[in-house]
Amino acid sequence: MKNLVLGLLLFVGCQGFSQTWGTNIDEAKKQAAEQNKHILLVFSGSDWCGPCIKLDKNIWQSEEFKKDAKKNWILVKADFPKKKANQLSPELTESNNQLAEKYNKDGNFPFVVVIDKTGKVMGMTAYKNIDAQQYIEELHELAKI
């Protein structure tokens, strides 16, 4: 019984720090307005872009960022995988292409766009070889949090 309770507590605790990356910018804008948060739009090549993989591992998966994201951000990821096994649905591919046309015309990867709850771009950044707390501070500066 103790193991069951401990397992349940660990599961619930982990869920508290999990984050959900959406793919729909219109839904993100709606959520941002309702929750009074900013949007973090990330362009990633999850299976081919080395800096994208480092950004995910070192920043997005860090406990510091997970805590901050829960409080301040609506997360949207536009992924552009190249490997056949990782291909997205045609609808999601088209949606990501439309996001790139609007927010990432130069096709930079990784590329991070900070958007306010009204949809206005507040700033942009990319991968930097800094720790999670420094990266969060930069995002806050862009968002004027």
Side-chain angles (χ1 to χ4, degrees):
M1 184 67 176
K2 279 185 179 179
N3 288 340
L4 179 63
V5 171
L6 181 61
L8 184 59
L9 287 173
L10 284 172
F11 176 75
V12 170
C14 290
Q15 293 301 311
F17 290 114
S18 68
Q19 63 207 20
T20 303
W21 288 89
T23 57
N24 184 311
I25 193 71
D26 293 325
E27 182 62 32
K29 288 177 186 175
K30 181 180 173 187
Q31 290 175 354
E34 290 170 355
Q35 298 176 32
N36 196 31
K37 294 182 179 180
H38 297 291
I39 299 167
L40 200 61
L41 171 59
V42 176
F43 291 89
S44 179
S46 63
D47 65 2
W48 60 270
C49 169
C52 299
I53 294 165
K54 286 180 182 177
L55 186 62
D56 182 61
K57 181 181 176 189
N58 297 336
I59 307 300
W60 309 145
Q61 291 183 33
S62 73
E63 292 305 316
E64 297 95 338
F65 179 76
K66 289 176 184 179
K67 288 179 191 176
D68 188 67
K70 187 175 182 181
K71 181 179 176 185
N72 295 304
W73 306 103
I74 301 297
L75 306 173
V76 178
K77 189 172 282 185
D79 193 19
F80 292 82
K82 288 188 176 178
K83 294 179 181 174
K84 192 172 187 174
N86 299 331
Q87 291 304 299
L88 307 173
S89 70
E91 297 82 13
L92 186 52
T93 299
E94 178 58 29
S95 174
N96 289 350
N97 287 335
Q98 289 175 4
L99 283 173
E101 184 63 34
K102 183 169 184 178
Y103 296 103
N104 189 8
K105 290 183 182 188
D106 293 333
N108 296 317
F109 291 92
F111 191 62
V112 179
V113 184
V114 175
I115 303 169
D116 74 7
K117 62 185 176 185
T118 68
K120 177 185 170 200
V121 173
M122 302 184 76
M124 296 164 252
T125 190
Y127 172 76
K128 294 183 177 161
N129 191 19
I130 56 179
D131 68 31
Q133 191 56 48
Q134 291 170 309
Y135 204 90
I136 291 166
E137 289 169 11
E138 181 176 335
L139 294 174
H140 283 216
E141 286 178 26
L142 292 172
K144 297 172 181 62
I145 295 176

